[in-house]
Amino acid sequence: MSSSPLLANLIEALRCLPGVGGKSAQRMAFHLLERDRERGLKLADALREAMQRIGHCGRCRNFSEEPLCTICAGSSRDRQLLCVVESPVDLAAIEQATGYRGQYFVLHGRLSPLDGLGPEELGLPQLAQRLGEGEVEELIIATNPTVEGEATAHYLAQLARAGGVRPTRLAHGVPLGGELEFVDRGTLAHAFGGRQLLE
């Protein structure tokens, strides 16, 4: 495709990004080389530094440059509330959309034996130890409503109960402002099964 091995290498490297195929990677590479070399160099520097310096928080497993992330290191968070999420993206979504002021634990996945993701890979022994410390009173389970997410939620609930912690699950169902005729059958069935008493 290209007479330049460096260009082919750049295109192949860009393909590692989610949603970026061969054509998109080629377009990005050509754009950087034709019109924006300075920003391309800045991007390369930022990528190199991030890959070398960003690790995981020793307490919640979120991305962090320090041994403890700013959420875990801060004193303004409610340490009795612990929200478990599948990924740092989920943590960011909760931070941006809610007034949640508790702490987090990031799994970096969900239980999936076929993909080689078991309790160890998700840091569940570390979570069990944290629940056993007696500080957490409520474990808010915020895994995605997929088959693997639900299996993970069930496992987390058992883990919480074993540690004397009350497990709760994010509500699922009809979106705010949604109309029933446009809601898919699975979501509507889940919402109907989880209906609540109005007071």
Side-chain angles (χ1 to χ4, degrees):
M1 172 183 105
S2 166
S3 60
S4 168
L6 285 176
L7 178 57
N9 189 36
L10 174 59
I11 291 169
E12 188 58 34
L14 289 168
R15 289 187 65 191
C16 79
L17 298 170
V20 177
K23 289 279 191 194
S24 295
Q26 183 180 32
R27 223 175 356 263
M28 288 179 200
F30 287 164
H31 172 78
L32 291 170
L33 291 170
E34 290 175 346
R35 304 191 196 288
D36 219 345
R37 286 182 181 244
E38 186 177 322
R39 284 192 182 164
L41 290 170
K42 191 174 181 178
L43 173 64
D45 289 342
L47 276 171
R48 176 170 280 108
E49 187 173 7
M51 295 298 110
Q52 290 173 348
R53 294 191 51 214
I54 295 176
H56 294 103
C57 172
R59 186 153 174 84
C60 74
R61 296 171 30 106
N62 192 18
F63 292 132
S64 178
E65 297 166 41
E66 305 296 332
L68 287 181
C69 69
T70 55
I71 292 175
C72 289
S75 59
S76 64
R77 295 292 186 137
D78 185 347
R79 295 184 183 275
Q80 296 176 335
L81 297 175
L82 185 62
C83 181
V84 179
V85 295
E86 290 182 13
S87 72
V89 171
D90 298 332
L91 185 154
I94 291 171
E95 282 292 294
Q96 292 167 6
T98 72
Y100 177 69
R101 299 300 303 158
Q103 295 198 321
Y104 293 94
F105 190 85
V106 182
L107 300 173
H108 293 280
R110 55 190 162 259
L111 290 174
S112 181
L114 294 176
D115 297 322
L117 292 176
E120 289 286 331
E121 290 76 18
L122 301 183
L124 297 185
Q126 182 184 350
L127 176 61
Q129 180 181 351
R130 190 165 170 188
L131 295 176
E133 292 170 0
E135 192 173 44
V136 177
E137 291 183 6
E138 179 182 354
L139 184 72
I140 303 166
I141 301 168
T143 56
N144 291 312
T146 61
V147 172
E148 293 91 353
E150 291 297 328
T152 305
H154 181 71
Y155 190 97
L156 291 169
Q158 290 178 328
L159 201 63
R161 287 186 197 99
V165 175
R166 179 171 57 103
T168 60
R169 182 85 166 107
L170 288 188
H172 300 143
V174 180
L176 186 63
E179 297 191 28
L180 294 181
E181 66 179 299
F182 300 115
V183 175
D184 68 273
R185 293 173 68 184
T187 301
L188 189 55
H190 195 113
F192 199 78
R195 62 191 183 278
Q196 299 174 350
L197 178 67
L198 282 176
E199 296 184 24

